[in-house]
């Protein structure tokens, strides 16, 4: 714990804007000792540098551009969903779809999927879901579609409360079923993985040099 505290203090003296965005979103983020405000400053600096080099962040992305990219999911309370999502979209599909392999406690192995859902009033929303078994989708987080942008939004994600409450009940039930202190400790860890803090989703182009 003391070493982690020292690492966090030292991280404030590192210029993380010199680190490739993909490494920031994976290696650095997974290290868990770099404060979120430091990460945010690094992304901000990189975005400003990219804008000065001519990248237009306000321009609507083309389908081909979006298909060549990927999405980094970070900061979710349900930590299993965090990580790198690759495009699984087909050509001529307007809204993109991204996925990664993983496991959801209580459900086993499957895929986490970023996708859109058309509502009864023809509006759309983004969903981060878990796909398992016979085409069963468990919705974990949702976000609005912003100005018909074809890739997931960075913010405005919220937890699907009914799902997270069910996951918490399952974790608590598993904890009661454990007999040894070792297993009880593992179950406590599952219970704390509540999933309530929503993620941020960072879309990255296929070539990291495009935004450096």
């Amino acid at each position: 714990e003391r070493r982690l505290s020292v690492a966090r203090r030292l991280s404030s003296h590192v210029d993380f804007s010199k680190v490739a965005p993909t490494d920031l979103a994976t290696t650095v983020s997974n290290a868990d000792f770099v404060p979120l405000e430091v990460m945010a400053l690094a992304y901000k600096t990189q975005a400003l540098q990219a804008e000065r080099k001519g990248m237009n962040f306000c321009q609507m992305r083309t389908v081909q551009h979006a298909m060549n990219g990927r999405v980094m999911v970070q900061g979710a309370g349900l930590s299993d969903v965090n990580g790198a999502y690759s495009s699984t979209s087909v050509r001529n599909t307007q809204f993109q779809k991204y996925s990664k392999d993983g496991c959801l406690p209580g459900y086993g192995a499957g895929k986490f999927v970023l996708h859109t859902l058309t509502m009864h009033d023809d509006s759309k929303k983004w969903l981060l879901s878990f796909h398992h078994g016979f085409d069963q989708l468990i919705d974990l987080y949702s976000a609005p579609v912003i100005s018909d942008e074809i890739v997931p939004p960075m913010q405005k994600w919220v937890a699907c409360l009914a799902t997270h409450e069910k996951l918490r009940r399952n974790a608590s039930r598993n904890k009661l079923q454990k007999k040894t202190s070792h297993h009880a400790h593992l179950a406590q860890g599952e219970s704390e993985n509540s999933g309530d803090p929503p993620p941020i989703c960072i879309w990255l182009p296929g070539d990291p040099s495009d935004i450096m």
Side-chain angles (χ1 to χ4, degrees), residues 36 73-78 81-82 128 140-143 154-160 164 194-201:
L36 284 177
V73 175
Q74 299 179 347
L78 188 61
V81 310
N82 295 329
L128 201 169
L140 303 171
Y141 298 96
S142 67
M154 182 175 182
Q155 297 178 313
K156 298 186 180 298
W157 289 89
V158 296
C160 298
H164 291 281
S194 65
D196 289 340
I200 61 172
C201 295

Side-chain angles (χ1 to χ4, degrees), residues 5-14 16:
S5 177
V6 171
R8 285 173 176 163
R9 288 199 301 272
L10 291 176
S11 69
S12 63
H13 300 286
V14 178
F16 285 99

Side-chain angles (χ1 to χ4, degrees), residues 160-189:
C160 298
L161 297 181
T163 300
H164 291 281
E165 180 58 33
K166 182 177 180 179
L167 291 173
R168 277 193 290 269
R169 288 199 304 268
N170 289 344
S172 297
R173 185 163 55 249
N174 289 340
K175 179 183 176 182
L176 292 175
Q177 292 173 350
K178 304 299 182 181
K179 301 300 182 180
T180 67
S181 60
H182 173 68
H183 287 164
H185 174 71
L186 292 178
Q188 177 64 29

Side-chain angles (χ1 to χ4, degrees), residues 36-188:
L36 284 177
E37 57 268 23
V38 173
M39 296 277 288
L41 179 60
Y43 285 126
K44 177 182 177 181
T45 301
Q46 291 175 344
L48 291 172
Q49 290 174 348
E51 188 175 53
R52 284 195 293 270
K53 293 180 179 179
M55 185 170 187
N56 186 355
F57 288 95
C58 296
Q59 182 179 5
M60 189 76 71
R61 296 180 180 91
T62 66
V63 171
Q64 186 59 46
H65 193 204
M67 285 181 64
N68 289 337
R70 59 207 180 284
V71 176
M72 304 305 303
V73 175
Q74 299 179 347
L78 188 61
S79 60
D80 304 88
V81 310
N82 295 329
Y85 287 65
S86 301
S87 174
T88 56
S89 303
V90 296
R91 291 187 181 276
N92 301 320
T93 299
Q94 180 184 8
F95 290 93
Q96 298 301 288
K97 183 178 180 181
Y98 302 86
S99 69
K100 81 176 185 82
D101 295 332
C103 295
L104 186 66
Y107 293 92
K111 286 184 179 292
F112 292 100
V113 184
L114 282 162
H115 62 109
T116 54
L117 175 68
T118 301
M119 311 300 289
H120 65 277
D121 60 356
D122 289 332
S123 65
K124 294 181 183 294
K125 67 177 180 179
W126 282 97
L127 290 170
L128 201 169
S129 307
F130 183 68
H131 183 193
H132 76 105
F134 301 97
D135 291 330
Q136 297 183 43
L137 280 174
I138 300 171
D139 298 332
L140 303 171
Y141 298 96
S142 67
V145 171
I146 300 175
S147 301
D148 287 330
E149 178 60 276
I150 62 176
V151 298
M154 182 175 182
Q155 297 178 313
K156 298 186 180 298
W157 289 89
V158 296
C160 298
L161 297 181
T163 300
H164 291 281
E165 180 58 33
K166 182 177 180 179
L167 291 173
R168 277 193 290 269
R169 288 199 304 268
N170 289 344
S172 297
R173 185 163 55 249
N174 289 340
K175 179 183 176 182
L176 292 175
Q177 292 173 350
K178 304 299 182 181
K179 301 300 182 180
T180 67
S181 60
H182 173 68
H183 287 164
H185 174 71
L186 292 178
Q188 177 64 29

Side-chain angles (χ1 to χ4, degrees), residues 6-41:
V6 171
R8 285 173 176 163
R9 288 199 301 272
L10 291 176
S11 69
S12 63
H13 300 286
V14 178
D15 185 1
F16 285 99
S17 68
K18 304 296 185 183
V19 179
T22 304
D23 293 332
L24 279 177
T26 53
T27 305
V28 177
S29 178
N30 293 339
D32 199 32
F33 62 79
V34 181
L36 284 177
E37 57 268 23
V38 173
M39 296 277 288
L41 179 60

